[in-house]
Amino acid sequence: MNPIIKQWDTAKSLIKDYQYKEALAIYEALYQKVETELSDNFDKAMFFGDYFGALADVAQYDKAEAMAAKAFHYKAEGDKYDVLRYIPFNYGHMYLLQGKWEEAIPWLKKALGRDKEKDDQLFRESAARYGTELGIALFYLERTEEAEEELLNAVKVGKATVANQDWEPFFYLKEIYKQKGDEKLMAKYEKMYLTRLKKLKEEDLIYPLSEHRANKQALEDWKKLNNP
């Protein structure tokens, strides 16, 4: 295996374990080598997209923007089959982390694309995640009906996938039905939210950093569930 790819895989594994400091040190050591020694623009786009996302997760936004520019450059040259939609998603996600809802929406829509129409587990998982974040942005802009539609669709397309274990769409649907005064649906989605929340580790609610009220509330709820 190419030693660059091997180290990159190590960095990705570290991110999954929330070891951001160690992972970012690897990305920093590799990124110049990636540009000069990797020949495939698709691989370069993936690398810089991953590095960009990791930097955004720990609120290093200026550097994240610089890596995003590289990711988009190589994506334009190497993504013939439009499979690198997670790169615009990471851009929308970065805005979402900062509470910049309007700025997040066009990027999340671009990432979502037509995924929800594809009968493929990988695309269903991405559609569930991207649609959830689009619904969140719409919720905070008080575009409630649109938010409800996106969140319900995210739950539907994410059914039986890993993405469906995410607590976020259920939290926001609970909040929407609370606003609407629909106690039955509010209770339904609250139960689904708490069921998923209880299975998480505390680190799952700390990373990525976020200004969402939901993240803070979820952490409080998680502590109550796990320390009754």
Side-chain angles (χ1 to χ4, degrees), residues 136-197:
I136 291 170
L138 291 165
F139 173 86
Y140 283 112
L141 290 170
E142 299 182 358
R143 292 163 60 175
T144 307
E145 298 301 322
E146 293 172 83
E148 180 184 4
E149 180 181 357
E150 291 295 342
L151 292 164
L152 286 172
N153 189 67
V155 170
K156 179 181 177 182
V157 298
K159 189 175 182 181
T161 73
V162 173
N164 192 242
Q165 296 174 12
D166 187 9
W167 59 272
E168 287 186 294
F170 305 99
F171 175 90
Y172 285 99
L173 285 167
K174 167 183 74 73
E175 291 295 301
I176 286 171
Y177 293 121
K178 181 179 179 181
Q179 290 180 9
K180 290 187 171 186
D182 190 327
E183 294 184 4
K184 184 176 180 180
L185 283 176
M186 183 188 75
K188 172 185 174 180
Y189 286 103
E190 181 174 41
K191 182 178 180 181
M192 297 169 82
Y193 154 63
L194 293 174
T195 298
R196 287 158 178 78
L197 190 67

Side-chain angles (χ1 to χ4, degrees), residues 40-220:
D40 193 322
N41 284 330
F42 184 86
D43 287 340
K44 291 179 182 180
M46 285 188 67
F47 175 86
F48 285 107
D50 289 349
Y51 190 11
F52 160 40
L55 288 164
D57 279 355
V58 294
Q60 294 187 34
Y61 298 126
D62 289 342
K63 194 165 187 177
E65 293 266 10
M67 295 304 116
K70 291 180 181 293
F72 281 115
H73 170 73
Y74 290 116
K75 179 181 185 298
E77 294 187 359
D79 189 12
K80 296 179 181 179
Y81 302 105
D82 195 27
V83 299
L84 296 177
R85 290 190 198 157
Y86 75 90
I87 296 175
F89 167 76
N90 280 352
Y91 224 101
H93 183 64
M94 181 173 68
Y95 281 130
L96 207 74
L97 296 177
Q98 299 172 80
K100 297 180 178 179
W101 319 118
E102 288 282 7
E103 292 92 331
I105 285 175
W107 291 104
L108 296 172
K109 285 185 174 180
K110 185 175 182 179
L112 187 59
R114 299 174 64 84
D115 282 359
K116 57 179 131 182
E117 298 177 14
K118 297 186 179 182
D119 187 22
D120 174 271
Q121 180 162 333
L122 178 62
F123 282 103
R124 287 199 303 270
E125 289 180 8
S126 63
R129 187 178 180 201
Y130 303 170
T132 292
E133 297 224 352
L134 178 57
I136 291 170
L138 291 165
F139 173 86
Y140 283 112
L141 290 170
E142 299 182 358
R143 292 163 60 175
T144 307
E145 298 301 322
E146 293 172 83
E148 180 184 4
E149 180 181 357
E150 291 295 342
L151 292 164
L152 286 172
N153 189 67
V155 170
K156 179 181 177 182
V157 298
K159 189 175 182 181
T161 73
V162 173
N164 192 242
Q165 296 174 12
D166 187 9
W167 59 272
E168 287 186 294
F170 305 99
F171 175 90
Y172 285 99
L173 285 167
K174 167 183 74 73
E175 291 295 301
I176 286 171
Y177 293 121
K178 181 179 179 181
Q179 290 180 9
K180 290 187 171 186
D182 190 327
E183 294 184 4
K184 184 176 180 180
L185 283 176
M186 183 188 75
K188 172 185 174 180
Y189 286 103
E190 181 174 41
K191 182 178 180 181
M192 297 169 82
Y193 154 63
L194 293 174
T195 298
R196 287 158 178 78
L197 190 67
K198 188 174 176 62
K199 297 176 182 178
L200 300 181
K201 298 179 293 185
E202 187 172 9
E203 290 83 357
D204 295 324
L205 297 165
I206 296 173
Y207 294 104
L209 301 177
S210 174
E211 297 300 321
H212 299 182
R213 179 183 66 80
N215 286 52
K216 296 174 183 177
Q217 183 61 54
L219 183 56
E220 290 179 15

